Amino acid sequence: MQITAKAAIVFVALQYNVTQPAAEEQATESASLYYYGFKDLATVFFYMLVAIIIHAIIQEYVLDEDYISDPTILWRAYPHNLMTFQMKFFYISQLAYWLHALPELYFQKTKKEDIPRQLVYIGLYLFHIAGAYLLNLNHLGLVLLVLHYFVEFLFHISRLFYFSDEKYQKGFSVWAVLFVLGRLLTLILSVLTVGFGLARAENQKLDFSTGNFNVLAVRIAVLASICITQAFMMWKFINFQLRRWREHSAFQAPPVKRKPAVTKGRSSRKGTGWY
C-alpha cells in the first residue's frame, strides 16, 4: 500500500518542490518553490485525463442530449442511480476539488476576516453537489453546474480584462445580464424537474435500496435549498452592483485636490469580487 501511495502521488501532486529558507533580513516565512523534471509527465498525463473526462461528460450529457426540446430527460426514469464512468468521475472530482479548498484556506494564508465568507462559499458548493449526487438527481445537478460554471467563467474572464485595463467594464455588464438569466433559468429547471416532473411520477415511495428519494418532504427540501441559495446569490449580486455604482460615481465626481491619486487607486479595484 505504501508503494502504491507513493506512485499515486507522482500523478496527483506537483513534483520537484524545494523549500527556500527565509532570509535573515526578511520577516517572511520559508516558501516552497518548484522546478521541472521527468515526473511532470505523469502529472500532466493525470490532469489530461481529468480534462478529457470533464469534456466528455459535458459533450455527452449537455451538448448531445437535447435538454432544450425534451426537458423530461432531467426527471425521466428517476432514480438515476446508475451512472456512466464519466458522470461518476465528474461528481467525484467536483467533491474532491471543493473538499481540497478547505485546507487550502490555511495553506494560502487566507485573512481571518475572509475565512467565514470563503467557508460559506465552499459549503454551498459541497452541499448542493453532494445533494445532487446522493439523491440521484445527477442529471439536474450536472446541467445546473455547467450553467453556473459558465457564468462564473465569464466573470473571471472579465476580471482579467479589468486588471489589464481598468477602463474595460463591458465584460461585467455582459456577466451581470447572464448572471440574472442564469439564476432565473436555474429556478425554472429546478421547479420544472422537482416541482412538476418528479411530483407527477408514479413511484413516490422512499426506498433506500433503489435510491428513490422522490417523496414530498425531500422535494420540498430540495426546492427550498435551491431557492434560498439563488436568493442569497442575488442579494450578494445586488450589493456588488450597488458598490460598483457608488465607486463609479465617486470616481466620476470632481477629485479632492489633496489626495486625488489615492482615491482613484483604492476605489477602482474593490469591486473585482462579488461573492
Side-chain angles (χ1 to χ4, degrees):
M1 292 294 294
Q2 186 176 3
I3 298 177
T4 305
K6 290 182 179 179
I9 290 176
V10 175
F11 288 87
V12 179
L14 298 181
Q15 302 298 310
Y16 304 106
N17 61 307
V18 293
T19 301
Q20 184 178 25
E24 296 181 357
E25 63 274 8
Q26 297 178 351
T28 58
E29 299 179 356
S30 58
S32 294
L33 302 177
Y34 296 84
Y35 59 97
Y36 63 85
F38 287 106
K39 292 182 181 179
D40 291 340
L41 295 176
T43 310
V44 171
F45 175 75
F46 173 78
Y47 286 102
M48 179 190 68
L49 294 180
V50 173
I52 291 175
I53 291 297
I54 294 176
H55 179 269
I57 197 69
I58 294 175
Q59 182 71 37
E60 180 176 354
Y61 288 92
V62 179
L63 300 179
D64 293 341
E65 287 193 12
D66 201 352
Y67 283 106
I68 298 178
S69 62
D70 187 13
T72 61
I73 298 175
L74 294 175
W75 64 82
R76 188 194 306 160
Y78 178 85
H80 304 141
N81 52 359
L82 296 178
M83 297 176 286
T84 62
F85 172 81
Q86 293 91 338
M87 175 76 80
K88 185 175 179 63
F89 190 90
F90 175 81
Y91 275 96
I92 293 298
S93 62
Q94 288 296 304
L95 292 171
Y97 174 82
W98 290 108
L99 284 173
H100 112 281
L102 293 174
E104 281 294 305
L105 295 177
Y106 171 77
F107 294 122
Q108 293 181 355
K109 298 179 175 60
T110 305
K111 296 180 180 179
K112 292 183 179 180
E113 58 269 21
D114 292 336
I115 290 180
R117 177 175 60 87
Q118 291 292 335
L119 288 177
V120 171
Y121 182 70
I122 297 170
L124 286 175
Y125 273 104
L126 287 173
F127 177 76
H128 287 87
I129 294 173
Y133 182 70
L134 297 176
L135 296 178
N136 291 319
L137 293 170
N138 40 60
H139 287 188
L140 176 64
L142 176 65
V143 173
L144 297 184
L145 275 175
V146 172
L147 174 64
H148 175 75
Y149 284 154
F150 172 76
V151 178
E152 288 293 288
F153 173 76
L154 181 59
F155 174 74
H156 291 294
I157 291 296
S158 301
R159 290 183 66 186
L160 291 177
F161 283 104
Y162 174 80
F163 289 145
S164 63
D165 185 0
E166 293 184 358
K167 295 181 180 179
Y168 186 85
Q169 300 285 340
K170 295 182 180 179
F172 289 116
S173 300
V174 177
W175 165 76
V177 174
L178 292 181
F179 180 88
V180 176
L181 292 178
R183 307 284 68 78
L184 181 61
L185 187 57
T186 297
L187 290 175
I188 292 175
L189 292 176
S190 301
V191 172
L192 184 64
T193 302
V194 181
F196 291 95
L198 294 181
R200 297 181 179 181
E202 296 182 359
N203 188 2
Q204 297 193 19
K205 294 182 179 180
L206 184 64
D207 190 350
F208 291 98
S209 62
T210 60
N212 184 18
F213 299 94
N214 186 18
V215 294
L216 180 61
V218 174
R219 293 199 301 270
I220 292 176
V222 170
L223 283 179
S225 63
I226 294 176
C227 291
I228 292 174
T229 301
Q230 300 308 305
F232 172 75
M233 295 177 66
M234 280 301 303
W235 176 69
K236 300 288 289 184
F237 171 78
I238 292 173
N239 287 335
F240 168 74
Q241 293 296 336
L242 291 176
R243 185 172 69 248
R244 287 186 64 235
W245 288 336
R246 286 194 300 265
E247 293 175 354
H248 180 71
S249 299
F251 181 76
Q252 294 295 330
V256 180
K257 294 183 178 180
R258 291 177 297 178
K259 297 181 179 180
V262 175
T263 303
K264 178 181 177 181
R266 291 186 178 179
S267 63
S268 59
R269 292 190 179 270
K270 287 184 178 179
T272 56
W274 70 273
Y275 47 80

